Amino acid sequence: MNLVFALLPAAIVLGLLGLAGFIWAVRSGQFNDLDTPSRRMLFDENETHENEGDTPRRT
Amino acid sequence: MLHDLGLDRYYKLRDEMGEAGQPRDASATTDTYTYLDHALIQEKAISHDERSGHARVVFSLTGVHCTACVWVIEKLPDFLPGVEQSRLNFRTGRVEIDFDPARISLSRLAFQLHQLGYPPRLVAHDELNVQKRETEAQAKDQWMRMGVAAFCAMNLMMVAVSIWEGIYSGIAASYQSFFGWISVVLALPAVTYSAWPFYRRAWQGIRAGVIHMDLPIAAAIVATFLVSTFNAYRGKNDLYFDSLAALVFLLLLGRYAQWRAMQRAREWMSRGTTFLPESVLDETEKARPRAAFQVGDRVKVLAGQRIAFDGTILEGSSSVDLALLTGESSTTRVMPGDRVLAGSLNWNAPILMRVDALGKDTRMGQMEALLASQNELSAHTPFLLWLDRVGRIFFYAICILSVLTMGLGSVYIGWERALQRVLALWIVSCPCALSLATPLALAMAVGSAARRGLLLRTSDVLEHALSIRHVLFDKTGTLTRGELRVVKADWNSSFFTEDAAADDAAQAKTATLVAALEEGIAHPVANAVRAWARQYVSDGDLPTIATEVLPGKGVRSRDRKYWLGSVSWLTQEFGFKSIESGTTLGFVEEGKWKLGLVLQDEMRPEAAEVIAALKRNHLNVGLLSGDRMGVVLETGKLLGISSPLLGEQLPEHKLRTIEHLRRSGAVMMVGDGINDTGAIARADIGVAIVPENANLLHTTAPVVLGRADLRLVPALFELSRDTRSVIRRSLVVSLAYNLVGTSAALLGWINPFLAGLLMPISSVTVVILTLSARAWRK
């Protein structure tokens, strides 16, 4: 059970990694627009690539 | 066009989502946006992304209303070479486009956006920086504090499980103390960094002598932390760290929700004030930036375009929609000679207009300036002072209850359990209606009023309106339009009874002569006559007639063929008999009476219904005018005004009447703001219905009608009543919540953690109730 003295802080350090990731995400502005992603979720990226194959691009 | 670009999916997405399209704006030509390539504009508009070095421009788009729109706009890089990235913010309608200026020009980009159906408006990048960065910084701050609190709460929960297991089946002292101290360390970030805003606001409140709502919360957090730390030190297992961190997290979450709701409300209130088009067509239909035009320039506005200046129509007849200025969609026919306002939409046909006012000097600009100069809530209203008092009583009550609970509780259940109840009490008690909902309701009311053209300088007008007993109107310029108009044209039947077609031609010819005679004369009568004649002939087609003006009588052509003037003068010169009474002017051609015109200062069409509406609300309506008693009596009869009904009033008489009336109840005075300044200032609420060509800012009345519609007066009363109901509703909800919550806390039914859960719920409920009240949408 002495292991607990080492494991507990280790678990917290892992948690801190997660927190660091969150802080980075907030700082880089990923939480600025919370409305549009809900719309973007509905896009289906695969289909658009098919279309691009069929029609030539305009310049 | 969408098909050509392989973007058929747009329609598929759109249909799947079940969202219909909207009618599009005027179609653009390739020249519409060429002004964007001007060097000055480029400088203002283009910024550079720090990491990639790409040029970035931000457009505000209209017409973004569905998922398919987002999809199409974000697909720009796929079919526009030179565009690197396109990111749309669905809520604000702003798109950030990263592009390479060497491969695609700004004008082409804008044109493409327009062709897709989203007319773009440029947003200068310094305009963005101020408002957006600030809001973003605030949001980021809140997210980080929430994130830290959540991290602490979750890990503390992890440790707490061990502690609880220990309570259940025994635990060695060394482990207990280890877990205890780890908990203290884990709780520190939540209690210091995350909870900091609460401490700051509570402290600010104390310094200002006000009991801020956060004071009980801050005290509860600190007390709980100290008690738990003390227990950890003593090796006890009565630790509340996990609940504490979770509480902080929940409180922050609740505050964030409220903050977002307020942001939305603010955005909603200020939308519609900056819709003027950036690019305007000059008379040769070449597009130039709006800033490049001066007073006196001629501007062409196509059908579907928004008018950018206040001006006078020179050519073309159309209908304009004043929705931006009045809040309702209603079109008015306009013809050459009519005035149009910046912000209105030209519906039918192209018009050529002359610029009379730009930017700040337009009616719209004046309204904005007036609103901007509004004081924030003045703290002088009796209602707000009453709220302050209630808040203080509330706090003292909580203190007394806490002392009692600690005292009695220690005796009956032990001081630790008593303390827990007290902590729960502090957290649960929230005068949220007072500090959140009321200011919000007042702000929403002022914003809603402004959108309809009812400009309130301060929000205490809403409260004062509830105690008004008398409403006094001035006559000229208030109940009447303040300008003469031709209300009847009596064509002499002996000249005009042929068939309809010949009649029309003959009438037009006569009207032309009449207008030509009055040309160049700057007199209200002449203006009225010319306005009337415009339905027959346009200003530019008038023949020039050499005239001589006889003041007080009329005007005649030098060759004495055509005469236009007062009936008495013409009767004197020509000996006419049996002219219909009430005729103001007569037109005589070669000695024969052809036309009689009746001119009047027309009563506003809505005047009667407004008076009736006010009377229905048990208000006493009166009329004070400087006009002759006879006219005043007649007007009173027409509108149903009986007392006070006073004519021939000099300014000091008006003041005395108002003073006298005030003894029996608060008085509202409605005048034109220019000639009635004394009376308006003396009344309890002064309302100025400013004439069209005057500046809104020149009056000091607390209520200014941005458009000349008397119906805004009963609307003000209605809004006051509605606002009061909204505030009352919030107070009731808050009171109910507090009664239930404090009882539960005192009886030990809820622990501090549950209290922390309930409190944000109640605040958010009250805020949402206030924001969503139907009163703001009327």
Side-chain angles (χ1 to χ4, degrees), chain B residues 244-293:
Chain B
L244 192 57
L247 170 71
V248 172
F249 171 69
L250 285 174
L251 288 173
L252 286 173
L253 188 63
R255 291 294 155 85
Y256 175 73
Q258 279 160 217
W259 177 81
R260 272 246 302 187
M262 298 235 202
Q263 288 293 99
R264 298 281 177 93
R266 231 171 270 141
E267 274 172 27
W268 185 55
M269 288 196 293
S270 65
R271 112 211 127 155
T273 50
T274 46
F275 262 78
L276 298 180
E278 281 300 318
S279 119
V280 180
L281 299 175
D282 66 12
E283 47 187 332
T284 62
E285 296 205 20
K286 183 159 160 297
R288 291 165 54 205
R290 176 161 48 97
F293 287 88

Side-chain angles (χ1 to χ4, degrees), chain A residues 28-48:
Chain A
S28 67
Q30 293 183 28
F31 280 74
N32 289 345
D33 178 6
L34 298 176
D35 307 287
T36 318
S38 67
R39 299 277 171 164
R40 278 202 208 102
M41 186 186 81
L42 298 165
F43 302 160
D44 192 351
E45 285 307 317
N46 301 330
E47 284 198 32
T48 51

Side-chain angles (χ1 to χ4, degrees), chain B residues 38-94:
Chain B
H38 195 277
L40 281 174
I41 301 259
Q42 302 257 315
E43 209 181 278
K44 252 180 42 163
I46 300 183
S47 59
H48 291 270
D49 182 63
E50 300 103 39
R51 278 164 299 160
S52 59
H54 289 139
R56 177 175 293 173
V57 67
V58 179
F59 286 111
S60 177
L61 302 178
T62 47
V64 174
H65 57 276
C66 65
T67 311
C69 304
V70 181
W71 185 80
V72 155
I73 291 168
E74 294 196 340
K75 285 275 163 260
L76 276 182
D78 290 347
F79 58 87
L80 270 188
V83 177
E84 296 296 330
Q85 200 196 51
S86 166
R87 246 174 134 64
L88 174 70
N89 182 322
F90 182 69
R91 201 183 79 243
T92 61
R94 286 197 173 162

Side-chain angles (χ1 to χ4, degrees), chain B residues 141-150 189-190 193-198 201 245-259 756 760:
Chain B
D141 182 75
Q142 296 188 57
W143 278 115
M144 298 225 272
R145 289 186 208 270
M146 272 196 277
V148 166
Y193 172 66
S194 296
W196 186 251
F198 296 111
R201 285 194 288 258
L247 170 71
V248 172
F249 171 69
L250 285 174
L251 288 173
L252 286 173
L253 188 63
R255 291 294 155 85
Y256 175 73
Q258 279 160 217
W259 177 81

Side-chain angles (χ1 to χ4, degrees), chain B residues 183-211:
Chain B
S183 299
V184 173
V185 170
L186 270 178
L188 272 175
V191 168
T192 52
Y193 172 66
S194 296
W196 186 251
F198 296 111
Y199 303 143
R200 192 176 30 141
R201 285 194 288 258
W203 178 243
Q204 280 171 351
I206 292 179
R207 276 200 10 217
V210 173
I211 305 293

Side-chain angles (χ1 to χ4, degrees), chain B residues 42 67 69 85 151 162 240 287 370 450 551 590 688 738:
Chain B
Q42 302 257 315
T67 311
C69 304
Q85 200 196 51
F151 166 79
S162 313
Y240 304 109
L370 198 85
E590 288 163 352
N738 272 303

